[in-house]
Amino acid sequence: MKNTSGTTEQKRRAGESAADLVTDGMVVGLGTGSTAAHAIEALGQAVDAGLDVEGIPTSFQSRQLALEHGIPLTSLDAVDRVDVAIDGADQVAGFTLVKGGGAAHAREKIVDAAADRFVVVADPSKLTDDLDYPIPVEVLPAARPTVADAIAALGGDPVLRQAERKDGPVVTDNGNVVLDCDFGVVDEPAALATDLSALPGVVEHGLFVDMADEVHVGRDDGVERRTR
Ligand code: 5RP
């Protein structure tokens, strides 16, 4: 369930701007989605030109893309630190995000949270004052009915995400399903995040509360860098 009305050029500018932050010897979290893909491509070009980095992918998609672009890969258990993570978002309000439009938010949150510096890449259509995008919640398949009931009791409207080129639901890289949960405007993201995390069977939700360190917004005439 994507929220991508930005142009390719806006996304490319954002991705390249974030990739420019990467220097020799860094370990880089490789986000998922069409905007993060531009950062991965730019990093691949830099690796071609001699940059020495290792990437930690956040999904099947970002792993494949990194392999195609010749970026050496590693994993969280093989490194002492992640210097920077570059990732997209479906909505950005300040430094709080809704993610999971590509159903990769569980691994994304692990890697993005582990990074010393988490850089979000976005086009202007992602920016908002009010977070009102349905919150993706990854759920163990056996827990779908009970989690859906609990989310309804919290005031959400959970809808099982359906696959587009497969019959039945989207199955995540972790073998789970996703409930897209419309809560209207989320006035208190931290409280909702705590409530969602507490539900048995929830693997991870797409609220990234106050997690970003920087947001690079690709615009038609350049890049706006928002820092804390
Ligand atoms: C995947 C994500 C993506 O980062 C998010 O959906 C943004 O993708 P795009 O850059 O294609 O709009 O959270 O789970």
Side-chain angles (χ1 to χ4, degrees), residues 96 131 186-197 205 207 209-210:
T96 293
L131 292 172
V186 178
D187 291 321
E188 295 184 55
L192 181 58
T194 302
D195 287 345
L196 291 174
S197 294
H205 57 77
L207 274 170
V209 180
D210 216 22

Side-chain angles (χ1 to χ4, degrees), residues 2-4 11 32-36 87-90 99-105 108 126:
K2 283 286 188 174
N3 181 28
T4 53
K11 294 176 189 197
T32 299
S34 58
T35 319
D87 205 348
D90 299 297
K99 285 185 52 56
H105 53 283
E108 290 174 326
K126 308 292 180 63

